[in-house]
Amino acid sequence: MQRRQILRLAGAAWVAGVAGLPVGRLHAEDFPSRPIKLIVPYGAGGITDQIGRALADAAGRELGQSIIVENKPGVSGTLGATQMATSEPDGYTLTMAPVVIFRLPHVQKMRYDPLKDLTYISMIADYNFAVAVRTDAKWKTMQELVAEAKASSRGISYGTTGIYGSQHLTISELARITQSNWTHVPYKGDAEAITSLLGGQCDVAMLTNTLLPYVKNGQLRVLAVLSEKRAPDFPDAPTLREIGYPVWSNSPFGIVGPAGMKPEVVRKLDTAFRNALKDPKLLAVTQQYGMSTNYMGPEQYSAYAQNAFKSEGAIIRRLAEAMKNQ
């Protein structure tokens, strides 16, 4: 009996080799035995894409296999999570996962469930957002801006890179807490929002480090940051919490795969991505774009996902109620 079992296993391995199936599919300890695909759910050349490529390069060296980036822009950055719902859980197809994957299912019907269809491998970093006005604006502090939003019937118009983004939801929470009046103006990207701000089409913009050159050349001034902690590139700008508003928003992203991945494969991938965060080239890219590394392993990241799904749902419900009453 033992001899027959050994022969069957040997035969299965031979058939798999003939069929072109990677040995890693049969033995997780041999993972990875071929290149891995990493979906970046945004367009080529953007901040997330550049971070994704630097991360793929560093983690690929750790694993001894190439990690090939595939861009899948659209649906607010959720197409990668959507593909995970129908991908094999073998560790060879992964995606970058922005926080919006927990948010959009509360807004519209999605083809994935963030709590059932995904394996959370490694959280990587946070985007930092700053509140900027033109240097000739009359508001010198965030408190003055909020006071104007409370006193003016017109309120304050603010530009972001899209509806239901972290900036939109953070200012909606600020408006609720302070009983102030804000008008959201969504743009297609940072460049369009900055052009609009400089041209006077909106009062203020909440954007990433793309603001930095305009701050340095004296065209824009940063009043505050939306993150939990001060941003290194805007060290003099307080957080909203420091000012006295109990509102903040980190916008993290991580690496996820399909549900049902083997724990030993998840551990190998997590180790590679964790070590990649020490890579000088990757750190240079994150610093260039004002991002903060924020590593979490599989267990902590999975717990975060559970909490994020609940909290994002609560915020969306409050926002929907506020919009209905406008």
Side-chain angles (χ1 to χ4, degrees), residues 6-39:
I6 292 170
L7 288 173
R8 276 202 301 272
L9 289 171
W14 179 83
V15 170
V18 171
L21 294 175
V23 177
R25 290 285 296 277
L26 298 174
H27 302 287
E29 61 269 20
D30 296 329
F31 174 88
S33 60
R34 57 187 170 94
I36 295 167
K37 178 170 69 176
L38 175 64
I39 295 172

Side-chain angles (χ1 to χ4, degrees), residues 103 107 158 163-165 168-173 175-176 184 312-326:
R103 187 176 301 149
V107 178
Y158 68 101
I163 190 170
Y164 297 121
H168 179 202
L169 267 62
T170 304
I171 299 304
S172 297
E173 283 290 281
R176 181 182 67 85
H184 183 218
E312 293 292 332
I315 293 172
I316 289 294
R317 287 190 292 274
R318 288 198 295 267
L319 177 60
E321 186 65 26
M323 292 173 69
K324 185 174 65 175
N325 293 331
Q326 286 181 353

Side-chain angles (χ1 to χ4, degrees), residues 285-303:
V285 176
T286 59
Q287 289 168 7
Q288 178 183 353
Y289 293 110
M291 303 182 74
S292 304
T293 57
N294 183 18
Y295 169 76
M296 290 185 188
E299 293 79 13
Q300 191 178 4
Y301 193 12
S302 297

Side-chain angles (χ1 to χ4, degrees), residues 10-319:
W14 179 83
V15 170
V18 171
L21 294 175
V23 177
R25 290 285 296 277
L26 298 174
H27 302 287
E29 61 269 20
D30 296 329
F31 174 88
S33 60
R34 57 187 170 94
I36 295 167
K37 178 170 69 176
L38 175 64
I39 295 172
V40 173
Y42 296 99
I47 293 175
T48 305
D49 177 61
Q50 293 184 56
I51 295 290
R53 290 178 188 276
L55 182 64
D57 181 63
R61 290 197 303 272
E62 291 284 333
L63 291 166
Q65 281 287 349
S66 298
I67 299 180
I68 300 169
V69 168
E70 179 180 316
N71 296 95
K72 278 188 171 289
V75 198
S76 300
T78 61
L79 288 183
T82 298
Q83 184 165 332
M84 293 305 99
T86 57
S87 295
E88 288 290 326
D90 54 12
Y92 288 99
T93 304
L94 310 172
T95 185
M96 294 177 74
V99 71
V100 73
I101 69 167
F102 306 114
R103 187 176 301 149
L104 220 55
H106 297 288
V107 178
Q108 63 190 62
K109 185 173 178 60
M110 304 299 294
R111 291 187 295 165
Y112 71 92
D113 184 324
L115 302 185
K116 295 179 180 179
D117 295 330
L118 304 175
T119 294
Y120 292 90
I121 299 169
S122 308
M123 184 179 284
I124 300 299
D126 288 326
Y127 293 98
N128 290 320
F129 297 107
V131 181
V133 297
R134 295 181 301 280
T135 51
D136 61 356
K138 61 182 178 180
W139 311 290
K140 300 298 187 290
T141 67
M142 192 68 191
Q143 294 95 319
E144 292 177 359
L145 189 65
V146 172
E148 175 87 5
K150 294 175 70 172
S152 170
S153 58
R154 182 184 70 87
I156 297 294
S157 61
Y158 68 101
T160 76
T161 52
I163 190 170
Y164 297 121
S166 293
Q167 309 101 301
H168 179 202
L169 267 62
T170 304
I171 299 304
S172 297
E173 283 290 281
L174 178 66
R176 181 182 67 85
I177 290 171
T178 61
Q179 295 296 295
S180 52
N181 183 20
W182 301 76
T183 301
H184 183 218
V185 186
Y187 294 99
K188 294 178 181 179
D190 283 17
E192 185 179 358
I194 290 171
T195 299
S196 181
L197 176 60
L198 292 173
Q201 282 78 49
C202 61
D203 298 319
V204 59
M206 285 73 173
L207 301 171
T208 62
N209 259 35
T210 47
L211 293 166
L212 196 56
Y214 302 91
V215 174
K216 288 182 176 180
N217 69 17
Q219 291 179 279
L220 297 178
R221 180 172 63 250
V222 171
L223 302 183
V225 292
L226 303 185
S227 50
E228 185 178 9
K229 299 176 182 178
R230 290 199 180 200
D233 287 313
F234 306 112
D236 296 328
T239 67
L240 296 180
R241 293 175 71 177
E242 286 181 70
I243 299 169
Y245 310 125
V247 180
W248 61 273
S249 174
N250 288 346
S251 187
F253 71 86
I255 304 296
V256 307
M261 291 176 61
K262 292 181 178 179
E264 54 267 38
V265 170
V266 173
R267 283 196 296 271
K268 281 191 175 183
L269 288 168
D270 173 53
T271 298
F273 287 117
R274 183 180 69 242
N275 290 339
L277 290 177
K278 304 172 187 175
D279 182 74
K281 291 182 180 179
L282 174 61
L283 290 174
V285 176
T286 59
Q287 289 168 7
Q288 178 183 353
Y289 293 110
M291 303 182 74
S292 304
T293 57
N294 183 18
Y295 169 76
M296 290 185 188
E299 293 79 13
Q300 191 178 4
Y301 193 12
S302 297
Y304 166 85
Q306 295 279 342
N307 291 330
F309 185 67
K310 293 178 182 177
S311 61
E312 293 292 332
I315 293 172
I316 289 294
R317 287 190 292 274
R318 288 198 295 267
L319 177 60

